[in-house]
Amino acid sequence: QKEVEQDPGPLSVPEGAIVSLNCTYSNSAFQYFMWYRQYSRKGPELLMYTYSSGNKEDGRFTAQVDKSSKYISLFIRDSQPSDSATYLCAMSRNSGGSNYKLTFGKGTLLTVNP
Amino acid sequence: GAGVSQSPSNKVTEKGKDVELRCDPISGHTALYWYRQSLGQGLEFLIYFQGNSAPDKSGLPSDRFSAERTGGSVSTLTIQRTQQEDSAVYLCASSFSSYNEQFFGPGTRLTVL
């Protein structure tokens, strides 16, 4: 079993839909949780960052972390064609200074159709 | 401002040849990372530099892979005697410190024939 599992999709939705993306993980040592967005032929860019459990909102994006279930989610409201990209979850530990070492899910390919 | 740059953007090589991939981090970033992104495995950590030293090389898949960083800036990832399974996108990232956000470059797409 991989440490981080993410459904690769692809996921196709109409413009304006609410999108739900999620990851599960097995290692309870993960404390930092991130979502990256990666456009085709580009490097990933950080979208959302959460420490430990809880919700975080930024514009149309909401990140949720449920450490008891080892489950994280990213919600996109009022999705736009420009949101079409691969979304990667990532997480890291908080021990021994190893917080830099990101463990990624495989990514979910999202297409928002106009 | 300038982001992380990588060169070449694409590299096609023959099995058994050596390749060098270059990364120019954001100016002032002391931490630098190499990752590999392949279809089957997703994005995997390879190595972490703090300044010119590499305290964590745990992700390098074999001794054919090596990396160095000079002047606390540019880094080179070298793959010797390339194999077809080395085909992937190699991504470099940098951050102000190991506790800060990592900024990724566009990657080098390596194809080994």
Side-chain angles (χ1 to χ4, degrees):
Chain A
Q1 181 192 12
K2 286 187 71 73
E3 282 190 293
V4 180
E5 299 280 358
Q6 182 176 9
D7 186 339
L11 184 61
S12 181
V13 300
E15 183 175 354
I18 297 174
V19 176
S20 173
L21 305 165
N22 52 72
C23 291
T24 59
Y25 62 96
S26 57
N27 192 332
S28 57
F30 288 134
Q31 297 281 343
Y32 298 95
F33 303 92
M34 289 142 276
W35 286 94
Y36 282 82
R37 178 175 62 194
Q38 185 175 25
Y39 291 113
S40 181
R41 302 277 175 161
K42 302 287 187 184
E45 56 178 333
L46 183 64
L47 205 55
M48 299 286 284
Y49 174 95
T50 310
Y51 173 69
S52 196
S53 284
N55 294 358
K56 188 172 185 179
E57 188 173 322
D58 184 1
R60 297 184 294 110
F61 298 90
T62 300
Q64 289 185 351
V65 175
D66 181 349
K67 290 190 68 181
S68 63
S69 301
K70 297 189 178 68
Y71 187 90
I72 70 170
S73 300
L74 177 71
F75 297 96
I76 307 174
R77 291 183 298 281
D78 187 25
S79 56
Q80 302 295 309
S82 58
D83 295 328
S84 298
T86 296
Y87 289 80
L88 301 142
C89 63
M91 42 201 83
S92 65
R93 297 169 179 78
N94 186 28
S95 61
S98 61
N99 57 299
Y100 61 83
K101 196 169 182 177
L102 303 181
T103 301
F104 284 85
K106 290 188 177 182
T108 300
L109 177 61
L110 171 68
T111 301
V112 181
N113 301 298
Chain B
V4 177
S5 60
Q6 293 186 245
S7 61
S9 55
N10 284 283
K11 176 72 176 179
V12 179
T13 190
E14 293 179 349
K15 178 182 172 181
K17 301 282 191 184
D18 298 352
V19 295
E20 282 190 354
L21 313 179
R22 177 188 167 105
C23 171
D24 279 274
I26 293 171
S27 178
H29 281 191
T30 62
L32 185 147
Y33 318 82
W34 284 97
Y35 292 85
R36 178 169 70 174
Q37 188 171 32
S38 57
L39 279 176
Q41 298 300 319
L43 217 159
E44 301 172 295
F45 168 84
L46 297 178
I47 187 169
Y48 155 61
F49 284 93
Q50 180 58 47
N52 290 337
S53 64
D56 189 347
K57 306 179 183 180
S58 62
L60 294 178
S62 75
D63 59 8
R64 296 185 296 104
F65 288 71
S66 62
E68 64 175 14
R69 189 179 185 194
T70 55
S73 181
V74 171
S75 177
T76 303
L77 177 69
T78 301
I79 309 173
Q80 295 178 309
R81 304 181 303 280
T82 52
Q83 304 294 310
Q84 287 184 329
E85 61 263 27
D86 299 335
S87 296
V89 176
Y90 289 83
L91 290 158
C92 174
S94 71
S95 61
F96 185 73
S97 79
S98 64
Y99 292 92
N100 295 105
E101 175 185 352
Q102 296 181 25
F103 293 86
F104 283 80
T108 294
R109 184 172 298 271
L110 175 66
T111 303
V112 182
L113 301 176

